[in-house]
Amino acid sequence: MRFEAIRTVYPTVVTLRGENDARDQQNNVVTLDEAKIAVEVARMTQEADEAKAIAEAKAAKIQALEELTVTTTNGNEFDANADSITNMLAAVEASAILGTTENSWKLADNSIVTISLDELKEALAKSIQAKGTIILGA
């Protein structure tokens, strides 16, 4: 990061040899102020650390969203990721069109059970709320 800091503090530097031999375009020596370089290195390090923390938080959020599950009052655990929410919405809509009150559903543990439309709606609502909680960081 030192070389990047030198180039930021001294934009005329085009050549760096070793730690302290800085030259401009005409090959003239550019005198380096170590205090200024240290400040820039510290700023760049803090910026990099902040960017890393943001990236890690984003990755954690993405993973949490992918692994999200919810449990209904009947004790069934449903996957609640984006694809599952889409599937629940489609199943609720299909039930409304067909007039059905029960559905076969694959739960988070991969077991297939028959659930009521009301339980599916509960799982859907809880999934949307849980997703929002993760996204908002609450």
Side-chain angles (χ1 to χ4, degrees):
M1 214 174 279
R2 177 176 166 77
F3 291 134
E4 292 90 349
I6 290 170
R7 290 184 191 272
T8 300
V9 174
Y10 300 97
T12 61
V13 170
V14 295
T15 305
L16 288 168
R17 295 184 192 118
E19 290 291 311
N20 298 310
D21 186 6
R23 308 277 175 146
D24 65 14
Q25 193 167 11
Q26 288 76 37
N27 203 31
N28 296 317
V29 173
V30 176
T31 304
L32 303 177
D33 181 336
E34 290 302 323
K36 288 181 180 179
I37 294 167
V39 167
E40 183 61 18
V41 167
R43 185 198 66 76
M44 292 172 76
T45 300
Q46 180 179 357
E47 191 176 90
D49 290 347
E50 289 170 359
K52 181 180 176 187
I54 289 168
E56 287 172 352
K58 183 176 180 179
K61 232 179 225 192
I62 290 169
Q63 183 175 357
L65 288 168
E66 273 303 308
E67 297 173 354
L68 186 61
T69 62
V70 295
T71 303
T72 61
T73 53
N74 287 347
N76 287 322
E77 185 179 10
F78 289 75
D79 288 317
N81 59 34
D83 288 341
S84 297
I85 289 172
T86 300
N87 291 339
M88 286 186 238
L89 284 166
V92 167
E93 183 66 22
S95 292
I97 292 168
L98 298 172
T100 58
T101 59
E102 292 184 333
N103 289 291
S104 291
W105 201 263
K106 185 188 282 189
L107 298 176
D109 67 0
N110 289 323
S111 63
I112 298 175
V113 297
T114 300
I115 58 167
S116 69
L117 179 59
D118 287 339
E119 184 174 10
L120 183 59
K121 288 178 180 179
E122 177 189 358
L124 174 60
K126 285 184 170 187
S127 297
I128 293 168
Q129 287 176 331
K131 179 180 178 182
T133 299
I134 290 171
I135 290 171
L136 296 175

